[in-house]
Amino acid sequence: PALPKVTVSSLDELNTEVTEYVDSAIADLQTQYDALTASIGDYNAYVENIGNVQQFYASALSDTETMCLQMYQYALDYVTFITSSDRSFSDQYDDMEELYDVVYDEEGTRIYDDIYDGIMSDAYDYFYDGVVSSGYDLVPYDEWSDYSSDEYDLWSDTRSDIYDIWSDTRSDIYDFYSDVRSDIYAKETKDLEKDITRFQEDLSDLQEELLSE
């Protein structure tokens, strides 16, 4: 399915749309995490619900991928809105700072802070260093060691993948912002059209990759 595109009449509305989207997406993942930890209070409950833990990590990764794809779309929305206006090149050049400030800096940083360094760090503390660690004195070492190692590997792989997705998205959006802003400054409308088309194609490719996983 196509990512939702926003229809706005001002950059302020677009800024609000982006912030509210990130708020909602992070809150949804936090709700999933809170529900999971509420159902797993000790080592035995962890073992009994290992499938739910694995599903949470899968959701954390897929939700982050979806969020990052939406940030690509928002970057495109900003550029389309700004460059299709009848404002001067100088004003459009200044308006591009909104894309940088909101999508790249503020909300892009929140994905890192609240998911990679937030929920995923909490998951390490609660599962690997918490309920799983508590099983050391409860069950045979081999059994405990297997669950402990598997939990760490799953957590580590997921967190690493989340970082890679976030980092790639942030880099791509910055490059797009920089290229477009340079085009606007130089009044190179043909180069601008090429950069927008290329970014649209890259976004479409990323969507297809996600759907094929």
Side-chain angles (χ1 to χ4, degrees):
L3 293 168
K5 301 178 182 180
V6 296
T7 302
V8 296
S9 58
S10 70
L11 285 175
D12 284 343
E13 287 185 25
L14 187 49
N15 292 343
T16 299
E17 165 68 21
V18 176
T19 300
E20 290 180 348
Y21 169 78
V22 175
D23 283 344
S24 177
I26 291 174
D28 181 66
L29 186 58
Q30 184 67 55
T31 297
Q32 294 179 53
Y33 173 76
D34 291 343
L36 180 63
T37 54
S39 69
I40 299 176
D42 56 29
Y43 176 81
N44 289 329
Y46 173 87
V47 172
E48 293 171 0
N49 290 276
I50 186 65
N52 292 336
V53 175
Q54 294 167 343
Q55 181 56 52
F56 167 74
Y57 284 128
S59 293
L61 179 58
S62 63
D63 287 1
T64 302
E65 287 177 323
T66 299
M67 287 181 68
C68 286
L69 280 177
Q70 186 60 52
M71 299 307 277
Y72 277 100
Q73 180 62 59
Y74 282 137
L76 193 57
D77 291 337
Y78 272 87
V79 170
T80 301
F81 182 85
I82 291 168
T83 60
S84 63
S85 73
D86 57 5
R87 286 164 62 79
S88 67
F89 282 109
S90 178
D91 287 338
Q92 290 183 20
Y93 181 84
D94 291 340
D95 288 343
M96 284 292 294
E97 281 301 293
E98 297 291 326
L99 165 56
Y100 178 92
D101 289 343
V102 177
V103 178
Y104 176 81
D105 189 20
E106 295 172 9
E107 303 309 321
T109 299
R110 285 186 62 209
I111 295 174
Y112 177 94
D113 289 344
D114 292 356
I115 297 179
Y116 176 81
D117 203 35
I119 293 172
M120 290 302 296
S121 291
D122 292 342
Y124 174 93
D125 292 339
Y126 190 83
F127 293 117
Y128 177 75
D129 203 33
V131 292
V132 175
S133 180
S134 71
Y136 179 83
D137 294 323
L138 302 177
V139 296
Y141 176 81
D142 287 347
E143 176 189 332
W144 172 84
S145 180
D146 286 344
Y147 277 108
S148 181
S149 296
D150 289 347
E151 168 59 28
Y152 181 83
D153 289 344
L154 183 57
W155 170 84
S156 180
D157 290 346
T158 303
R159 193 167 186 252
S160 179
D161 288 344
I162 285 173
Y163 180 85
D164 289 344
I165 293 164
W166 170 82
S167 180
D168 288 346
T169 300
R170 192 169 166 83
S171 178
D172 290 346
I173 288 176
Y174 180 84
D175 289 345
F176 182 49
Y177 152 82
S178 181
D179 290 344
V180 168
R181 202 161 185 248
S182 295
D183 295 337
I184 292 172
Y185 181 81
K187 301 179 183 179
E188 294 286 353
T189 55
K190 289 185 179 180
D191 288 343
L192 174 61
E193 291 173 359
K194 289 179 182 178
D195 285 331
I196 292 174
T197 298
R198 186 181 302 114
F199 193 77
Q200 289 174 318
E201 292 171 348
D202 289 344
L203 175 56
S204 295
D205 289 343
L206 288 170
Q207 287 180 273
E208 290 179 6
E209 288 177 15
L210 181 60
L211 290 173
S212 66
E213 291 179 355

